[in-house]
């Protein structure tokens, strides 16, 4: 590492796995690899393999969980790693934490790395919370005296005082992650690596944990690498972000730009016949969507009539009382703004009616101007038929929602409410 300010450097990191069996699985593969190593040649099986697309059936028995990942992290920086499930985020963190080794490439670090990858990682279930604090501290290279000086702060932050002398096997997952985070944060590693585990904690602890990570990065100058599907947390915490997909880097840059890139790349196009992240038994599927305002050819506008029309495939064989259609509307940070469900309203039609189109309508759209993302979820006879994350997006234009010729600033809110002001 050339710059004195760079604390972590990832160079051409790749990770390959063989599906099905541990190791190569055949004597011939083992011999070929051994003979290549003896002659100082590259592993012949690194040239084969496919990207790690879990939704398709491949022809190769080798997959690349990561391919040629490169980035640098400066001291005191908070780097976000974002991407869909299976993108390679956790594999990358395991390599950074030295839980597993890369197939190719190398990682250069300055200082101690503490990782929080899974609930209970590094904890011994038969030992008490207090004993596990000393155990984890020793693993991180701390002396007993150093740990003892921090233990009161660790216990207080975790909120597990009452159970600190109880075996960890009796802790809930939330209590375990609270204690694990407190240990990792307070024992002062130079680099703190955190996976999605904070999602296990309640809202109060998540807020506290994010505040602590901001303190140790901005106030104490330590480095944090953070993986999360919560875009709001990524935006508030991270100074820079990397977007991964199928083990490759799609984007690296400012957090705001990375989030926008990720959401846009995650969006499905309903003009396509297939969806990579579609789940369900397929008994009923969405085959077309139309989002419009007052007229079918008009754009959605704040305060104006609004419709989302879904055209369904095979729905004519389903009766109305057999189907439940839910949609979730998220803002551009992935935060839920609204949830609509066919089950929330009394049905106006005969329960024996066959359907092919479902519409969600509003007389006055209460969303402020901006981009919104829709996740769709169809249940048929209590089984998932069609579920598409970030299925599509739509834009809402500015509108005079309150009828006073005043546009509500987008930065102030996403959802609008009817209200009045009384001066007494």
């Amino acid at each position: 590492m050339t710059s004195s300010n760079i604390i972590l450097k990832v160079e051409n990191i790749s990770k390959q796995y063989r599906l099905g069996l541990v190791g190569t699985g055949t004597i011939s593969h083992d011999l070929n690899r051994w003979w290549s190593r003896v002659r100082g040649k590259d592993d012949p099986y690194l040239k084969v393999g496919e990207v790690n697309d879990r939704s398709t059936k491949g022809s190769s028995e080798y997959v690349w969980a990561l391919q040629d990942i490169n980035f640098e992290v400066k001291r005191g920086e908070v780097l976000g790693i974002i991407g869909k499930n299976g993108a390679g985020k956790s594999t990358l963190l395991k390599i950074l934490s030295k839980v597993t080794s890369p197939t190719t490439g190398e990682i250069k670090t300055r200082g101690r790395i503490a990782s929080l990858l899974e609930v209970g990682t590094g904890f011994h279930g038969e030992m008490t919370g207090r004993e596990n604090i000393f155990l984890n501290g020793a693993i991180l290279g701390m002396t007993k005296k150093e740990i003892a000086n921090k233990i009161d702060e660790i216990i207080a932050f975790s909120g597990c005082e009452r159970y600190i002398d109880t075996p960890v096997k009796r802790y809930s997952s939330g209590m375990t992650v609270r204690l694990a985070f407190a240990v990792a944060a307070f024992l002062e590693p130079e680099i703190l690596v955190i996976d999605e585990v904070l999602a296990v904690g309640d809202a109060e602890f998540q807020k506290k944990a994010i505040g602590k990570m901001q303190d140790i990065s901005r106030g104490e100058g330590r480095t944090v690498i953070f993986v999360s599907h919560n875009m709001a947390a990524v935006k508030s915490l991270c100074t820079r972000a990397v977007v991964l997909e199928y083990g490759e880097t799609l984007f690296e840059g400012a957090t705001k730009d990375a989030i926008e890139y990720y959401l846009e790349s995650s969006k499905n196009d309903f003009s396509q016949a297939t969806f990579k992240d579609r789940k369900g038994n397929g008994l009923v599927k969405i085959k077309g969507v139309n989002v419009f305002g007052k007229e079918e050819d008009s754009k959605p506008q704040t305060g104006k009539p609004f419709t989302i029309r879904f055209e369904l495939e095979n729905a004519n064989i389903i009766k109305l009382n057999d189907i439940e259609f839910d949609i979730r509307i998220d803002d551009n940070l992935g935060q839920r703004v609204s949830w609509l469900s066919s089950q929330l309203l009394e049905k106006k039609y005969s329960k024996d009616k066959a359907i092919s189109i479902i519409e969600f309508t509003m007389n006055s759209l209460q969303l402020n101007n901006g981009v919104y993302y829709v996740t769709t979820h169809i249940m048929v006879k209590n089984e998932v038929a069609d579920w598409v994350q970030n299925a599509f997006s739509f834009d809402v234009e500015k509108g005079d929602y309150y009828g006073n010729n005043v546009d509500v600033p987008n930065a102030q809110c996403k959802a609008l409410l009817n209200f009045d002001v009384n001066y007494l």
Side-chain angles (χ1 to χ4, degrees):
M1 294 184 285
T2 55
S3 173
S4 59
N5 202 31
I6 296 174
I7 196 169
L8 174 69
K9 188 172 185 178
V10 173
E11 294 182 329
N12 302 315
I13 289 295
S14 297
K15 182 67 176 179
Q16 187 186 69
Y17 290 106
R18 183 178 189 271
L19 300 177
L21 300 173
V22 178
T24 58
T26 65
I27 294 176
S28 62
H29 285 196
D30 287 337
L31 289 173
N32 286 338
R33 281 183 161 165
W34 172 79
W35 184 237
S36 296
R37 286 198 301 270
V38 169
R39 294 182 297 155
K41 303 291 185 181
D42 291 335
D43 188 329
Y45 299 103
L46 297 186
K47 300 176 182 179
V48 300
E50 299 171 331
V51 295
N52 188 27
D53 184 355
R54 69 188 186 283
S55 63
T56 60
K57 184 176 181 179
S59 57
S60 173
E61 56 188 0
Y62 295 95
V63 294
W64 289 101
L66 294 172
Q67 277 192 294
D68 296 324
I69 305 296
N70 293 274
F71 60 83
E72 295 177 347
V73 187
K74 296 180 180 178
R75 191 178 302 277
E77 190 173 27
V78 183
L79 178 70
I81 309 289
I82 57 180
K84 294 185 285 187
N85 291 331
K89 306 184 298 297
S90 295
T91 301
L92 177 59
L93 294 196
K94 287 175 182 176
I95 291 174
L96 294 177
S97 305
K98 299 183 180 179
V99 174
T100 186
S101 58
T103 305
T104 64
E106 64 177 332
I107 295 172
K108 299 176 181 177
T109 62
R110 289 191 176 114
R112 200 165 39 210
I113 297 178
S115 59
L116 190 57
L117 303 182
E118 296 176 10
V119 176
T121 299
F123 275 22
H124 193 295
E126 298 295 335
M127 297 172 67
T128 66
R130 188 185 304 274
E131 290 168 339
N132 271 293
I133 293 174
F134 281 94
L135 174 64
N136 271 255
I139 292 172
L140 289 173
M142 309 289 288
T143 64
K144 187 176 180 180
K145 184 178 180 181
E146 287 175 313
I147 301 167
N149 289 337
K150 291 280 186 180
I151 194 165
D152 290 339
E153 290 180 88
I154 293 170
I155 295 171
F157 185 88
S158 71
C160 300
E161 295 96 330
R162 186 172 185 179
Y163 304 98
I164 199 65
D165 293 311
T166 300
V168 167
K169 67 180 181 181
R170 297 195 177 98
Y171 284 20
S172 68
S173 57
M175 289 171 61
T176 305
V177 78
R178 278 172 170 265
L179 187 60
F181 178 83
V183 172
F186 277 88
L187 293 184
E188 300 183 352
E190 281 72 26
I191 303 172
L192 181 59
V193 178
I194 300 179
D195 204 345
E196 191 65 60
V197 290
L198 293 185
V200 177
D202 54 28
E204 175 202 358
F205 177 69
Q206 288 183 36
K207 184 177 179 181
K208 204 158 96 169
I210 288 174
K212 179 61 179 176
M213 285 188 283
Q214 289 173 334
D215 289 343
I216 65 177
S217 62
R218 299 170 188 173
E220 302 173 27
R222 286 183 277 152
T223 301
V224 178
I225 298 176
F226 182 56
V227 164
S228 179
H229 290 287
N230 185 336
M231 295 300 109
V234 172
K235 183 182 179 183
S236 66
L237 180 64
C238 300
T239 53
R240 194 163 55 91
V242 174
V243 181
L244 298 181
E245 182 171 344
Y246 303 137
E248 298 179 343
T249 303
L250 290 186
F251 183 90
E252 180 183 350
T255 304
K256 180 176 179 292
D257 297 336
I259 291 172
E260 291 178 356
Y261 184 93
Y262 165 66
L263 291 172
E264 187 62 27
S265 65
S266 298
K267 181 181 67 176
N268 281 303
D269 182 358
F270 269 97
S271 64
Q272 297 175 351
T274 60
F275 303 92
K276 290 183 177 179
D277 282 333
R278 191 170 222 160
K279 299 181 179 70
N281 58 26
L283 187 60
V284 173
K285 290 183 178 181
I286 298 171
K287 68 175 181 179
V289 174
N290 190 15
V291 182
F292 53 92
K294 188 174 183 180
E295 308 294 338
E296 284 199 33
D297 58 350
S298 64
K299 292 185 177 181
Q301 188 177 12
T302 302
K304 301 296 183 183
F306 172 72
T307 299
I308 304 181
R309 177 182 295 160
F310 295 94
E311 184 181 358
L312 305 181
E313 181 181 316
N314 297 331
N316 57 352
I317 66 173
I318 303 299
K319 303 302 181 183
L320 190 58
N321 61 327
D322 292 332
I323 190 169
E324 179 180 345
F325 196 123
D326 298 351
I327 64 173
R328 188 187 79 206
I329 301 176
D330 298 338
D331 65 11
N332 61 345
L333 293 179
Q335 299 180 104
R336 184 174 302 182
V337 176
S338 182
W339 173 70
L340 308 176
S341 174
S342 63
Q343 299 299 300
L344 294 176
L345 300 177
E346 183 180 355
K347 296 183 174 69
K348 303 176 183 178
Y349 305 103
S350 165
K351 291 187 176 182
D352 292 329
K353 177 181 175 66
I355 54 173
S356 58
I357 290 177
I358 291 182
E359 289 185 350
F360 290 86
T361 63
M362 301 177 195
N363 293 327
S364 178
L365 181 59
Q366 293 178 269
L367 296 178
N368 208 348
N369 69 294
V371 180
Y372 297 89
Y373 296 81
V374 178
T375 292
T376 61
H377 188 263
I378 301 177
M379 298 279 289
V380 175
K381 296 181 179 179
N382 297 320
E383 292 187 7
V384 178
D386 195 29
W387 180 12
V388 189
Q389 295 275 1
N390 288 339
F392 61 96
S393 68
F394 62 89
D395 291 297
V396 176
E397 296 183 338
K398 291 182 179 180
D400 185 11
Y401 181 78
Y402 294 107
N404 56 4
N405 295 318
V406 175
D407 292 329
V408 180
N410 187 5
Q412 293 297 327
C413 64
K414 296 297 182 183
L416 304 172
L417 299 174
N418 281 313
F419 70 99
D420 201 356
V421 177
N422 297 313
Y423 298 95
L424 304 176

